Amino acid sequence: MADQELARDLGFLEAYTLGLGTMIGAGIFVLPGIVAEAAGPASMVSFTIGGIVALLAALSLSELATGMPRAGGSYYYINHALGSFFGTIVGWGMWAGLMFATAFYMLGFGQYLLNQPSTAIGVVVAALVMAALLTLLNYRGVKETGSFQNFIVIALVGLILVFIIVGLPQVDPDLLTPFTAGQGWAAVGVTAGTVFVTFIGFEVIATSAEEIKNPGRNLPLAMVAAVVTPTLLYVFVMLVSTGVLPVPQLATSDVPVADVARVTAGALGTVTIAGFTIQFAVIGGGIMIVGAVLATISSANASILSAARVNFAMGRDKILTEWLNQIHGEYRTPYRAILATGGVILSLIASPLPIATLADVAAFMFLITYALVHIAVVVLRRADPDNYEPDFRIPSWGYPAVPIVGFLGCVAILVQMGDTPLVMVSGVTLLSVVQAIGGGIILLSIGWWAYYARSEAISTTLVGEAVAPTEADDAENDVYRVVVPVANPATEESLIRYAAASAYGHEGPTELVAVNVIEVPPQMSPEQIELEEERVERQQELLDSARGTAATLDIPLRTRAIVGRDAGSALLSTIAEEKADHVLMGWGGTRRRRDVIFGSTLDPVIERAPCEVTLVTNPSRSPGRIVALAGRGPNAPIAIRRAGELARTFEDASLTLVNVQPTADDETPGDGEDDETVTPRETGTEAIRSVATAAGLDDSEYESRVVVSETVRESLLETVRQYDTVSVGATGEGVAAQALYGSIPQAIVSQADGTVLIARDADRSPRTLREALRDRLKGLLENE
């Protein structure tokens, strides 16, 4: 059985926004009041410390993620580097940390929604209702949440930048003194732990490592950028906040950023339009409230998704029972894990724990995690297992300094966390409430390991662990490679035979690559597909059958079993990775929606694949009598070449090239000295000969047929119906929806009784401005 692999369809920009979306959230709106009360303007330093500690963790995570790209993120790396004991601690810790963070986000949502303290009944009720809705949303698996998240990220970054730009000129230096408050610089270290809840989001990039293109470059860049960006934004937000409002006023505010925005925007005065007076103070505060509401929802939703993924990874390693990871039969989501996560979140919201404590506990658990991540890097470097070959390694100048300093930084913050003492001796806090709760979670996880996971967990070793496959060496680049997506058992054998015919037509080494893609919703970790045995078995049966067919044809074939959120993007990534020369795909012949031409899976491949593309409808075991259209279209030669490959390979096949000419009202003058005329039939014969030559066919390999008619379209359709197989080139006529394929191929497919091949050459049709700008931007960012 082939190992499941995930589609690499995330570039730098997608990975960066994925991480940024989980970090530009509730913390930037809720924390300013909390941290200002504890550390005053020096809370800017707390954010800087948190950012540096997160940056060091991001570097270690980048190496682990590119060496062990599997679902579960830090939990997975630690479990397979340090064993199930530490894996259990980190797995439970990450799950708990995400739930505590979500409860913190939801109470922040209620504060900004109602402008009341987090302890107010209305705030708690609002938080409970929204948390329940998000749990239900993820339970049902709404695919569009990803696009909504991206919109929120862009909007929030814009709002925060405006907030900073408008606020900086109004900063009062006098309000920044004294720079520290309360406990002085000691409070800065304590507060660094509180603010770390805002930096836990970059973990999501590591959990998506197997889906990122060029991970050795894009993953560390995305993680570093996703940490540096919010760090700078948070520092400037605190500078503006503490420089515009006095610390006591900021500390007592339930909506601190909105209150600061009212003051800074209020300096712009008012404007009267059509008799209505608009107060910028009201607008500024209102916009930030809306931003805070969206941010808290976005952060909470992302945390619920991440928590379900950690559950799955623990269940896969038998640290948790598989019962928790059951996939819903209709929604395809890990509904039990989502419900369990949602239930705990609701309990935390309703608990008497202060909002600051919720944030501290979440940060505490992730600091434990990242401290062990640094240890895992050192262990893997020293063990140097054969299969640990990360695409990104911490540079020599940074190793072992990065993991050592990163580990010490995490520990330094951990020992200071929590401003509410639980155990004190001689005025010195030995144990805070936050440390007690975090320690309690660790003890519970150790108990679970001793009771259940110790005997049930899968014993893993570094050497035996599967890692990302290595790239093919340069010698393989000379192979003529045909990618064949397979999905339908009824047509699979014929598609493999047609692909083999294409390969036979080329000298030198050839290879077929059979690909099957299983789509999953965003609420489901792609790796959770292994829990759906029926879908996995069906995928393996298809690929096993493809191997069997190739064996009878005496042609090399590899199979790839891929799991992704979008089949079209997954196929495009596979084509690029394989450096395919040709992709041959089956097509049912009908459109699934009005806004697509061939289907949402096929369209992106057909439009953007950098190789030859052939669509095949109703493929038969043998093509029989083949007809190819020898027209003037740019893809006519490739269509004829496809037809010629089939005719050469199948013994009972024959090939006819057809050209249809309109009846001439007036004869066309020739170029000869005697001014002889050229008849439509002669024009058609010459067109066939010209296209056949361009396709590399000899005269002996085909028969010519010229049809002269007053109704070209109707005659063409009537002619091709007389053959078993039709090969036609993609046209460039028609409106935008038919820019690639035009109306003739579509009409042939709808009216022909036999097999139809629609082919296009490797040269793509002109891109739209939007596509060109998109590709240009991605190329610059990804260096592709």
Side-chain angles (χ1 to χ4, degrees):
M1 180 177 291
D3 290 335
Q4 297 287 341
E5 57 179 296
L6 309 188
R8 290 196 182 276
D9 50 13
L10 300 178
F12 165 78
L13 190 61
E14 292 87 351
Y16 169 61
T17 55
L18 182 67
L20 193 63
T22 58
M23 297 173 70
I24 300 293
I28 204 166
F29 292 95
V30 180
L31 287 177
I34 296 173
V35 299
E37 181 179 15
S43 53
M44 288 183 281
V45 180
S46 299
F47 276 106
T48 303
I49 294 173
I52 293 173
V53 171
L55 183 61
L56 295 174
L59 291 174
S60 289
L61 264 178
S62 294
E63 176 168 331
L64 293 174
T66 57
M68 293 180 167
R70 296 289 297 273
S74 295
Y75 153 75
Y76 178 82
Y77 316 138
I78 292 167
N79 185 54
H80 291 266
L82 306 181
S84 62
F85 175 79
F86 289 103
T88 303
I89 293 175
V90 170
W92 278 89
M94 288 180 64
W95 189 18
L98 289 166
M99 292 186 292
F100 272 84
T102 304
F104 163 70
Y105 300 147
M106 289 290 85
L107 286 175
F109 161 81
Q111 283 188 194
Y112 271 86
L113 185 68
L114 302 176
N115 195 6
Q116 295 179 9
S118 61
T119 54
I121 296 298
V123 169
V124 174
V125 171
L128 289 171
V129 171
M130 180 51 66
L133 287 175
L134 289 177
T135 301
L136 178 62
L137 180 72
N138 286 285
Y139 177 93
R140 291 181 60 88
V142 179
K143 190 171 183 178
E144 286 71 19
T145 54
S147 300
F148 181 61
Q149 292 262 116
N150 291 337
F151 166 77
I152 291 178
V153 173
I154 296 172
L156 290 179
V157 171
L159 286 179
I160 294 168
L161 287 174
V162 172
F163 175 88
I164 294 171
I165 292 171
V166 175
L168 278 177
Q170 301 180 52
V171 170
D172 183 356
D174 292 338
L175 293 179
L176 300 178
T177 56
F179 193 62
T180 60
Q183 303 175 22
W185 285 104
V188 173
V190 174
T191 308
T194 300
V195 303
F196 199 79
V197 71
T198 63
F199 294 103
I200 66 177
F202 67 88
E203 170 82 22
V204 72
I205 302 177
T207 64
S208 303
E210 203 173 358
E211 303 170 63
I212 296 176
K213 303 174 186 176
N214 190 9
R217 175 184 182 274
N218 290 333
L219 188 141
L221 283 180
M223 293 188 75
V224 169
V227 171
V228 171
T229 301
T231 300
L232 293 175
L233 292 177
Y234 293 158
V235 168
F236 279 107
V237 166
M238 288 309 303
L239 174 61
V240 171
S241 298
T242 55
V244 170
L245 284 184
V247 168
Q249 185 177 344
L250 191 64
T252 57
S253 174
D254 299 316
V255 287
V257 175
D259 285 343
V260 173
R262 290 190 184 97
V263 174
T264 57
L268 301 178
T270 62
V271 62
T272 301
I273 301 176
F276 293 95
T277 300
I278 299 176
Q279 298 181 352
F280 284 105
V282 175
I283 293 177
I287 290 177
M288 297 310 292
I289 287 176
V290 172
V293 168
L294 292 177
T296 49
I297 294 175
S298 173
S299 297
N301 184 62
S303 296
I304 293 173
L305 288 176
S306 297
R309 289 192 172 195
V310 174
N311 291 157
F312 161 71
M314 295 173 70
R316 178 190 58 205
D317 297 327
K318 307 300 182 183
I319 288 178
L320 283 181
T321 171
E322 287 284 0
W323 179 89
L324 196 62
N325 286 326
Q326 183 68 38
I327 302 299
H328 196 284
E330 179 181 358
Y331 302 129
R332 302 294 183 187
T333 58
Y335 68 102
R336 288 176 178 169
I338 291 173
L339 288 178
T341 299
V344 176
I345 291 170
L346 293 175
S347 300
L348 291 173
I349 292 172
S351 74
L353 291 175
I355 186 173
T357 300
L358 294 173
D360 282 342
V361 173
F364 184 94
M365 302 315 302
F366 273 90
L367 284 165
I368 290 287
T369 297
Y370 293 142
L372 292 174
V373 160
H374 291 301
I375 294 178
V377 170
V378 175
V379 169
L380 284 165
R381 283 285 192 102
R382 291 179 63 84
D384 194 24
D386 292 338
N387 291 332
Y388 181 66
E389 298 177 358
D391 294 314
F392 168 80
R393 286 180 179 268
I394 298 172
S396 57
W397 54 261
Y399 182 86
V402 166
I404 291 176
V405 175
F407 172 80
L408 295 176
C410 291
V411 172
I413 295 177
L414 282 170
V415 298
Q416 300 181 73
M417 285 198 69
D419 57 359
T420 304
L422 186 65
V423 178
M424 294 187 66
V425 175
S426 302
V428 178
T429 300
L430 296 183
L431 183 68
S432 69
V433 171
V434 170
Q435 291 168 338
I437 296 175
I441 294 172
I442 293 174
L443 290 176
L444 284 174
S445 64
I446 293 174
W448 177 261
W449 176 81
Y451 170 75
Y452 178 84
R454 184 177 186 178
S455 58
E456 297 292 333
I458 298 174
S459 178
T460 59
T461 63
L462 296 176
V463 175
E465 263 311 308
V467 295
T470 56
E471 294 184 2
D473 56 33
D474 293 337
E476 291 184 336
N477 293 340
D478 295 331
V479 176
Y480 181 84
R481 190 168 288 111
V482 184
V483 170
V484 190
V486 294
N488 186 353
T491 61
E492 177 188 38
E493 181 181 353
S494 297
L495 290 177
I496 296 295
R497 290 179 176 275
Y498 286 17
S502 176
Y504 290 153
H506 292 79
E507 297 181 358
T510 59
E511 181 184 44
L512 306 186
V513 180
V515 181
N516 180 266
V517 181
I518 299 178
E519 280 191 329
V520 296
Q523 285 77 11
M524 175 180 173
S525 168
E527 284 203 343
Q528 284 175 288
I529 193 65
E530 67 186 48
L531 300 179
E532 300 196 57
E533 296 181 0
E534 183 178 345
R535 297 179 77 189
V536 173
E537 288 178 1
R538 187 161 59 248
Q539 183 181 60
Q540 294 304 321
E541 288 172 359
L542 279 167
L543 298 179
D544 288 342
S545 176
R547 283 190 286 268
T549 300
T552 65
L553 300 174
D554 192 26
I555 190 169
L557 179 141
R558 285 187 294 109
T559 60
R560 294 187 63 173
I562 297 178
V563 183
R565 295 184 180 84
D566 182 88
S569 297
L571 289 175
L572 274 175
S573 296
T574 301
I575 291 166
E577 292 168 10
E578 295 289 351
K579 296 181 174 61
D581 299 281
H582 179 199
V583 56
L584 186 144
M585 303 181 292
W587 176 42
T590 56
R591 307 182 188 192
R592 292 191 293 178
R593 297 196 310 266
R594 294 180 61 188
D595 59 341
V596 298
I597 299 176
F598 293 100
S600 58
T601 297
L602 300 182
D603 280 2
V605 178
I606 296 166
E607 295 170 4
R608 301 200 296 272
C611 63
E612 297 174 1
V613 178
T614 304
L615 281 186
V616 185
T617 66
N618 192 28
S620 58
R621 185 176 178 82
S622 175
R625 295 173 302 146
I626 307 169
V627 62
L629 305 189
R632 294 176 298 177
N635 291 304
I638 194 69
I640 291 178
R641 190 189 309 163
R642 289 287 94 84
E645 293 166 350
L646 294 177
R648 295 188 193 106
T649 303
F650 292 87
E651 294 182 357
D652 59 346
S654 62
L655 175 59
T656 301
L657 304 187
V658 169
N659 181 275
V660 180
Q661 291 290 322
T663 302
D665 294 332
D666 298 313
E667 305 229 312
T668 305
D671 296 327
E673 294 179 358
D674 298 331
D675 197 29
E676 294 180 354
T677 59
V678 178
T679 66
R681 191 167 301 278
E682 290 172 334
T683 301
T685 301
E686 179 57 33
I688 291 175
R689 183 180 299 110
S690 175
V691 178
T693 300
L697 266 65
D698 295 331
D699 293 344
S700 61
E701 294 185 278
Y702 64 91
E703 294 182 0
S704 295
R705 180 177 178 181
V706 178
V707 177
V708 180
S709 172
E710 294 181 355
T711 55
V712 172
R713 180 187 176 90
E714 289 71 14
S715 297
L716 174 62
L717 296 175
E718 181 181 350
T719 300
V720 300
R721 281 197 294 268
Q722 301 170 16
Y723 295 84
D724 302 309
T725 298
V726 183
S727 183
V728 58
T731 67
E733 304 170 355
V735 296
Q738 298 170 338
L740 284 177
Y741 301 99
S743 58
I744 292 294
Q746 293 279 6
I748 291 175
V749 169
S750 63
Q751 297 187 29
D753 297 326
T755 302
V756 178
L757 283 72
I758 302 176
R760 76 150 171 83
D761 209 342
D763 293 330
R764 295 195 299 168
S765 62
R767 295 171 295 173
T768 64
L769 177 61
R770 177 182 176 184
E771 291 172 338
L773 291 175
R774 178 199 61 204
D775 293 343
R776 178 64 174 168
L777 178 60
K778 285 189 175 182
L780 291 173
L781 292 174
E782 300 171 15
N783 194 27
E784 293 180 350

